Amino acid sequence: MKRTAFFISDGTGITAETLGNSLLSQFEGITFHKITLPYIDTVEKAQAAVEKINAASESDGEPAIVLDTIVNENIRDLLASSNGFKIDVFSTFLKPLEKELKTHSSYTVGKSHGIIEMNRYKDRIDSVNFALDNDDGARTQQYDRADIILVGVSRCGKTPTCLYMALQFGVRAANYPLTDEDLESPRLPDVLQKYRHKLYGLTIDPFQLAAIRHERRPNSRYASLDQCDFEVRTVERLFQQQDLPFINTTNFSIEEISTRIIAHTGLIRRLN
């Protein structure tokens, strides 16, 4: 079965996308064609959105799913006139909250993703810059400022995990790649010894690692299954011998990897 799903917002659309994807992921037997329409903040834009919803509903032979986080009541009413199945996120959740808190919502556009607190926004940017500056062991002299240092073989997911933790949680995350030379020793590299309390290991299935590396350097020793299998087995043995916590990233998304690491280590989130 195929259905079209619209995520509509008068802001970035991030909230509608996040909630919508979480809800739709529960329906495994249906293929969703997802369309995000951000900044629908005028009647003209809303009318154009209605036309797209109606066209998709007619093409699918079923009403399009519409999840919106629109503040303006007139625009919400216009979207409700479409042929889609509409879920109004704000009215669904804010009305009960208003009743419980005994006060009215501000109904402000872009409230959750705007720069409301400059210090929190600066923490986010500083953390992202730190992750970029300390990618692949580039500046080990800054490790004293790191909240966490991810270690693992090349292409096991260290960089995207660091960037996600920085952007979403304001965590200062560095990463260090364990090379063939590092894996010749049963000890951690000297540069990591004094920071072992900050270390967290990442590992991966050798077959998946080989596939990832093959996209970067096809038909190379670096991408061969034998090399990947050797590196993964050796690094996992090192983690166990050094009593370092680690996670196998094979079946987890970057979001899951990051959240599991933070939960396991008890790292403080600077952004909530």
Side-chain angles (χ1 to χ4, degrees):
M1 186 185 299
K2 172 182 172 292
R3 297 286 289 270
T4 302
F6 287 87
F7 306 141
I8 303 179
S9 173
D10 40 22
T12 62
I14 294 173
T15 300
E17 277 186 341
T18 302
L19 179 59
N21 281 318
S22 296
L23 293 173
L24 298 182
S25 68
Q26 303 302 313
F27 300 92
E28 298 177 2
I30 303 175
T31 300
F32 291 100
H33 174 51
K34 301 171 184 176
I35 300 172
T36 301
L37 301 178
Y39 301 111
I40 304 300
D41 50 9
T42 67
V43 170
E44 291 75 19
K45 291 179 182 178
Q47 186 58 57
V50 168
E51 292 174 5
K52 292 179 181 179
I53 295 167
N54 290 344
S57 298
E58 183 176 354
S59 175
D60 293 349
E62 296 283 355
I65 309 299
V66 180
L67 291 100
D68 81 82
T69 53
I70 299 292
V71 169
N72 185 287
E73 190 171 349
N74 292 331
I75 294 178
R76 291 208 310 268
D77 290 343
L78 187 53
L79 291 176
S81 70
S82 71
N83 296 330
F85 174 76
K86 184 172 177 294
I87 301 173
D88 185 337
V89 175
F90 275 179
S91 65
T92 300
F93 295 106
L94 283 182
K95 292 298 184 185
L97 273 172
E98 287 178 334
K99 183 177 180 180
E100 174 62 26
L101 298 174
K102 299 179 178 62
T103 186
H104 290 291
S105 163
S106 65
Y107 287 91
T108 304
V109 176
K111 194 81 169 179
S112 61
H113 298 288
I115 305 177
I116 306 302
E117 297 180 27
M118 186 55 69
N119 287 339
R120 292 180 69 248
Y121 183 74
K122 186 176 182 298
D123 280 341
R124 184 194 300 268
I125 298 304
D126 287 347
S127 297
V128 171
N129 286 334
F130 183 88
L132 292 171
D133 285 344
N134 291 275
D135 187 36
D136 274 348
R139 298 189 181 183
T140 56
Q141 68 272 19
Q142 295 188 14
Y143 281 1
D144 59 321
R145 296 178 51 224
D147 297 317
I148 191 168
I149 303 168
L150 302 185
V151 292
V153 299
S154 172
R155 313 306 288 180
C156 68
K158 299 184 301 299
T159 296
T161 302
C162 284
L163 288 171
Y164 185 85
M165 287 197 292
L167 186 62
Q168 292 297 116
F169 306 126
V171 169
R172 287 190 296 269
N175 73 78
Y176 184 94
L178 294 170
T179 63
D180 279 352
E181 183 179 347
D182 294 323
L183 296 178
E184 289 175 359
S185 170
R187 300 175 65 253
L188 291 167
D190 291 341
V191 71
L192 298 180
Q193 289 288 349
K194 66 182 292 188
Y195 303 110
R196 59 178 300 120
H197 62 290
K198 296 184 179 183
L199 302 183
Y200 203 99
L202 267 60
T203 184
I204 189 172
D205 178 80
F207 288 94
Q208 182 164 324
L209 181 61
I212 293 170
R213 289 184 174 183
H214 184 75
E215 293 180 1
R216 188 175 187 181
R217 298 183 197 169
N219 303 316
S220 64
R221 174 177 172 274
Y222 169 78
S224 70
L225 181 57
D226 285 345
Q227 177 64 20
C228 292
D229 184 61
F230 163 75
E231 290 185 29
V232 169
R233 284 189 292 104
T234 304
V235 80
E236 288 182 353
R237 185 164 59 247
L238 176 65
F239 292 157
Q240 291 166 350
Q241 290 173 343
Q242 296 295 320
D243 196 27
L244 293 181
F246 67 95
I247 184 173
N248 189 312
T249 65
T250 305
N251 297 314
F252 295 131
S253 66
I254 296 300
E255 295 89 342
E256 290 176 298
I257 296 167
S258 303
T259 305
R260 286 173 181 269
I261 290 174
I262 288 176
H264 188 192
T265 59
L267 278 175
I268 301 299
R269 306 185 187 197
R270 292 188 179 85
L271 306 174
N272 291 304

